[in-house]
Amino acid sequence: MSVRKIREAVQAAEGNARQMGEVILMIAQADEHAAEVIAADLDNPEMSFDKCFAALRAYAQKHQKGGFWGCMCNSYDPENPVIKVAADFYKVDLGAAASETPETQPLGRGSDDLDLMSLL
């Protein structure tokens, strides 16, 4: 439900807000808890995709070198600065899923490998 709400917000957004929304959607699809937090925040105008983009722009201006700052973000990578800025803006901890032990890690998070022997 949360991912669907975010996806609908992305489809309704335009320009920079839509691009930022696509990044947010990647985060939401990778982390269910993040999706819940972000979906709830979208009801607050101060937590919009536009405001998140403004936070990214401020980060970029602060970290630019030689008059330029750029970072490609076309897939989910929690170490990507764009993903980090968006996660910080929505106050979600991307490391929470990665820090779960394999015994408690829910399906769909972490490694894509499934140890069939653990099912016996």
Side-chain angles (χ1 to χ4, degrees):
M1 173 100 170
S2 299
V3 172
R4 186 176 73 203
K5 180 179 179 179
I6 295 167
R7 185 175 289 117
E8 290 170 358
V10 170
Q11 291 170 349
E14 297 178 354
N16 293 331
R18 184 175 180 114
Q19 291 176 358
M20 195 75 240
E22 293 287 348
V23 172
I24 302 304
L25 185 57
M26 283 191 276
I27 294 170
Q29 290 171 329
D31 187 315
E32 184 179 323
H33 175 71
E36 292 171 13
V37 171
I38 294 166
D41 281 347
L42 289 179
D43 294 331
N44 179 351
E46 292 301 312
M47 300 301 286
S48 69
F49 295 149
D50 280 320
K51 298 287 184 175
C52 187
F53 182 79
L56 179 62
R57 177 173 279 162
Y59 176 88
Q61 289 172 339
K62 182 178 177 184
H63 292 88
Q64 70 183 356
K65 293 181 182 172
F68 174 78
W69 181 87
C71 183
M72 184 69 127
C73 185
N74 56 10
S75 64
Y76 178 76
D77 176 6
E79 296 302 314
N80 184 304
V82 176
I83 300 285
K84 286 181 176 183
V85 169
D88 287 346
F89 180 80
Y90 287 104
K91 300 190 181 16
V92 293
D93 181 10
L94 299 179
S99 67
E100 294 172 342
T101 62
E103 293 81 26
T104 61
Q105 189 177 50
L107 289 177
R109 287 195 180 164
S111 175
D112 291 333
D113 297 334
L114 176 62
D115 180 5
L116 296 176
M117 294 301 289
S118 68
L119 298 174
L120 296 176

